[in-house]
Amino acid sequence: MYIIEMGIKHALLGLLSKKPMHGYELKAEFDKTVGKLWSLNIGQVYATLNRLEKEGYITGKHIEQETRPNKRIFSITEEGRKEFLRWLLKPVEKPRRLKDDFYIKLTLLNAGRVVDVRALIWEQRKAYLRVLHELNEIKGSLDPATAPLLLLLVEGGILHTEADLKWLDICEERLLGGEN
Amino acid sequence: MAILETNKVSKQYQMGEVTVDALSEVDFVVEEGEFVAVMGPSGSGKSTLLHLLGGLDKPTDGEVTLAGRKLSLLSDREVTVMRRHNVGFVFQFYNLIPTLTAEENIALPLLIDGKKLKDYQDRIDKLLDLVGLTERRHHRPDQLSGGEQQRVAIARALVTEPAIVLADEPTGNIDSKTGEGILSVLRKSCDELGQTIVLVTHDPKAASYADRVVFLRDGRIIDEVRLEGTKDPKDILARLAELEL
């Protein structure tokens, strides 16, 4: 998933800035935090750790174990800490969903002339309403005391979906004009 | 079971020499226990529809059947009694009596009906709890916020256990955060009391609290959508991931 591709490197750096860990430990820590939302397999963890090591952001140390295979404990380097902080402080500049799939459909609509723009907008509106209904319900089921961050995420989702619905109103008004 | 039904309902208004079709042959069915939103821009006919549903106005053509009774067959007086027992209204403005407390405002429909309040104290307590105003039951409207006043109005609409609650832009006059509270109370009254609700609104966010949304344009129902929530709370995280929030 997109977010993972972009964020996994710094997520792992962030976890290692708390304490040195080996691969499976890292995966468990990841699962405990963001991993609930974005699943990550152990292969991705090791591939990313390799990359981070090559870039000099972490170092690995072999630990010999008698009964089990040897493992490597990874620690963050000074360079790694700097890189994590740089990423943390840099604002996220990509506006969400600017290249919305629905927009792409609108631009391609004229190519086929087989689909009615009105139908396209209505079906999209219904889909967003279903999402909004679900998010309202999820929001209602979350306890602000135990899941404050998740609640914020859901509230963000609600605001974005509301904006998507308003944008559809504008699409309808502009593209269909006085027709309806 | 259908608690409310319209059969080819039309409403025309005379504006000077011009006849305006506010509603054209609307077929609309509300099942018992359902929360339905009627959504449309201003001028789409949604308030006209609500007035016809609640017997506040009569259709030019067609029939409205409420709780099994055809409204066209009733006298004006019978419609008034029917409305008092079977319909709870919630409007954009709260229409509370300024000299009465929250609790007394909620009890008002019972008093008008000549009921003894002590027989209904349990119900009033339960409603105060549902709308979250137990602590503020003795406050007068001017001591309550806009959102709290609207919650009093909702409890007042529910107190007669009406067949249907009709709500016309109940969040139109309050900020969005307070509006969410109002909509949650309506949702709760449907989920916990099985209250049937019809909400008319222009606001998709308000409509999204309903089980079903009916779209009105130029006096006609042009489409509808059924909304379903996440059934299993354990799936919430998986679902959020799917939605790529």
Side-chain angles (χ1 to χ4, degrees):
Chain A
M1 206 172 291
Y2 176 76
I3 292 163
I4 281 305
E5 302 299 319
M6 302 304 288
I8 178 172
K9 180 173 146 183
H10 293 98
L12 294 188
L13 267 184
L15 292 174
L16 286 176
S17 74
K18 291 199 259 180
K19 59 170 187 185
M21 277 180 267
H22 59 79
Y24 265 100
E25 231 178 320
L26 256 177
K27 160 120 174 58
E29 278 295 308
F30 186 90
D31 286 348
K32 262 205 309 209
T33 51
V34 274
K36 278 183 187 166
L37 286 173
W38 296 284
S39 65
L40 172 69
N41 65 47
I42 191 71
Q44 286 170 291
V45 174
Y46 282 117
T48 310
L49 286 173
N50 274 335
R51 224 173 80 210
L52 287 169
E53 196 173 12
K54 274 194 198 120
E55 289 171 322
Y57 294 146
I58 59 173
T59 53
K61 200 171 91 186
H62 270 285
I63 305 283
E64 292 196 13
Q65 300 195 115
E66 278 181 19
T67 53
R68 299 165 68 192
N70 294 346
K71 62 182 182 185
R72 293 185 75 203
I73 299 263
F74 296 93
S75 318
I76 194 164
T77 63
E78 203 39 50
E79 278 307 299
R81 276 187 205 284
K82 272 189 205 152
E83 171 56 22
F84 177 63
L85 206 63
R86 185 198 65 76
W87 170 81
L88 203 61
L89 295 176
K90 188 171 175 271
V92 180
E93 280 173 16
K94 185 185 67 68
R96 280 173 50 117
R97 298 208 251 180
L98 198 54
K99 287 187 217 154
D100 191 290
D101 282 0
F102 182 75
Y103 172 73
I104 297 167
K105 289 182 184 183
L106 279 182
T107 60
L108 292 171
L109 201 61
N110 284 333
R113 274 270 169 222
V114 282
V115 187
D116 181 13
V117 64
R118 184 195 309 271
L120 202 67
I121 290 173
W122 275 100
E123 287 312 308
Q124 194 58 48
R125 182 176 279 133
K126 289 196 236 173
Y128 285 151
L129 274 172
R130 280 193 288 261
V131 170
L132 201 52
H133 180 86
E134 219 177 315
L135 290 176
N136 289 337
E137 213 163 80
I138 291 174
K139 186 185 161 190
S141 72
L142 290 174
D143 179 358
T146 56
L149 294 180
L150 202 53
L151 188 60
L152 283 171
L153 178 76
V154 171
E155 284 176 335
I158 289 173
L159 287 170
H160 281 291
T161 313
E162 278 181 71
D164 287 335
L165 277 159
K166 277 190 188 140
W167 180 63
L168 280 184
D169 286 345
I170 298 172
C171 289
E172 187 179 15
E173 205 180 298
R174 212 68 67 73
L175 299 174
L176 294 167
E179 272 183 60
N180 68 88
Chain B
M1 194 190 86
I3 198 90
L4 180 64
E5 195 170 350
T6 72
N7 191 357
K8 292 205 183 323
V9 155
S10 300
K11 179 73 185 176
Q12 296 174 333
Y13 290 110
Q14 208 61 38
M15 301 267 280
E17 308 228 318
V18 190
T19 306
V20 181
D21 292 309
L23 288 174
S24 307
E25 303 198 332
V26 171
D27 288 328
F28 178 58
V29 179
V30 180
E31 300 293 328
E32 198 174 351
E34 210 184 4
F35 181 175
V36 185
V38 176
M39 188 177 143
S42 61
S44 58
K46 55 188 195 299
S47 290
T48 304
L49 178 62
L50 196 90
H51 289 166
L52 298 182
L53 296 178
L56 292 172
D57 200 354
K58 290 177 182 165
T60 314
D61 267 308
E63 182 67 76
V64 177
T65 308
L66 175 59
R69 300 187 71 184
K70 291 190 161 96
L71 295 189
S72 68
L73 301 180
L74 304 179
S75 68
D76 284 356
R77 156 120 199 99
E78 285 171 324
V79 170
T80 305
V81 173
M82 171 86 181
R83 194 164 55 226
R84 195 156 72 208
H85 291 156
N86 289 295
V87 188
F89 286 100
V90 180
F91 295 106
Q92 186 172 340
F93 299 100
Y94 326 121
N95 306 313
L96 302 178
I97 310 285
T99 51
L100 300 182
T101 65
E103 186 171 3
E104 289 163 347
N105 266 289
I106 293 169
L108 199 59
L110 299 172
L111 290 173
I112 291 173
D113 226 19
K115 301 266 184 5
K116 286 200 191 95
L117 275 197
K118 63 174 172 24
D119 300 338
Y120 293 86
Q121 197 54 52
D122 276 359
R123 189 186 292 175
I124 292 167
D125 289 347
K126 214 180 275 177
L127 287 175
L128 278 164
D129 181 52
L130 180 92
V131 300
L133 288 175
T134 304
E135 309 287 313
R136 303 179 78 74
R137 63 199 303 161
H138 300 307
H139 288 63
R140 285 195 315 272
D142 63 357
Q143 298 166 312
L144 298 170
S145 70
E148 288 169 336
Q149 291 182 55
Q150 187 60 302
R151 282 186 271 150
V152 172
I154 291 173
R156 181 186 56 190
L158 294 168
V159 79
T160 58
E161 299 185 321
I164 195 153
V165 165
L166 301 175
D168 192 353
E169 299 280 12
T171 55
N173 204 24
I174 34 197
D175 64 86
S176 119
K177 181 101 194 107
T178 313
E180 281 179 23
I182 297 297
L183 294 160
S184 301
V185 166
L186 286 176
R187 184 68 252 175
K188 229 163 62 174
S189 71
C190 176
D191 291 340
E192 291 175 18
L193 309 175
Q195 180 62 57
T196 313
I197 301 169
V198 175
L199 161 77
V200 307
T201 182
H202 74 283
D203 177 11
K205 169 142 187 211
S208 74
Y209 281 79
D211 300 312
R212 184 160 63 96
V213 183
V214 169
F215 300 98
L216 206 64
R217 284 284 192 282
D218 294 328
R220 289 172 195 278
I221 290 177
I222 58 164
D223 207 347
E224 72 165 61
V225 61
R226 194 165 286 284
L227 309 176
E228 273 164 41
T230 312
K231 291 281 170 287
D232 183 357
K234 279 183 305 223
D235 287 345
I236 284 177
L237 292 166
R239 188 65 187 123
L240 287 179
E242 243 173 69
L243 292 170
E244 293 192 41
L245 282 187

